[in-house]
């Protein structure tokens, strides 16, 4: 049986067949403003850890926790 269709690798993406993304590329969505800030801080945290900057990593980690509504270690029990 023959077909008039071109091979699948030559077709444009459709909703059922999303475009392939490059390694490390994330799909773009319309995130809530706070989620966008947390995502940005997560990248900053990764860079701080890679650069072995423990103080910067701690500060960014705490900021992420506060944005997510989590209490920093040692402060949760003092506020109760």
């Amino acid at each position: 049986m023959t077909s008039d269709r071109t091979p699948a690798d030559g077709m444009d993406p459709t909703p059922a067949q999303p475009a392939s993304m490059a390694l490390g590329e994330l799909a773009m969505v319309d995130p809530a403003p706070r989620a966008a800030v947390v995502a940005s801080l997560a990248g900053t945290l990764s860079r701080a850890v890679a650069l072995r900057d423990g103080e910067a990593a701690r500060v960014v980690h705490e900021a992420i926790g506060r944005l997510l509504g989590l209490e920093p270690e040692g402060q949760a029990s003092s506020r109760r």
Side-chain angles (χ1 to χ4, degrees):
M1 173 188 260
T2 61
S3 172
D4 296 351
R5 293 180 57 191
T6 58
D9 59 350
M11 295 176 63
D12 289 333
T14 64
Q17 179 186 3
S20 2
M21 293 185 290
L23 181 62
E25 184 180 5
L26 298 175
M28 295 305 296
V29 295
D30 186 21
R34 185 167 293 193
V37 171
V38 169
S40 176
L41 286 173
T44 302
L45 177 60
S46 293
R47 285 188 294 281
V49 170
L51 294 170
R52 297 179 182 206
D53 187 342
E55 181 65 15
R58 184 192 63 75
V59 169
V60 174
H61 183 269
E62 183 177 326
I64 291 171
R66 287 181 181 209
L67 286 168
L68 296 176
L70 305 173
E71 296 282 340
E73 282 186 33
Q75 293 183 8
S77 59
S78 65
R79 290 188 179 177
R80 289 182 188 173

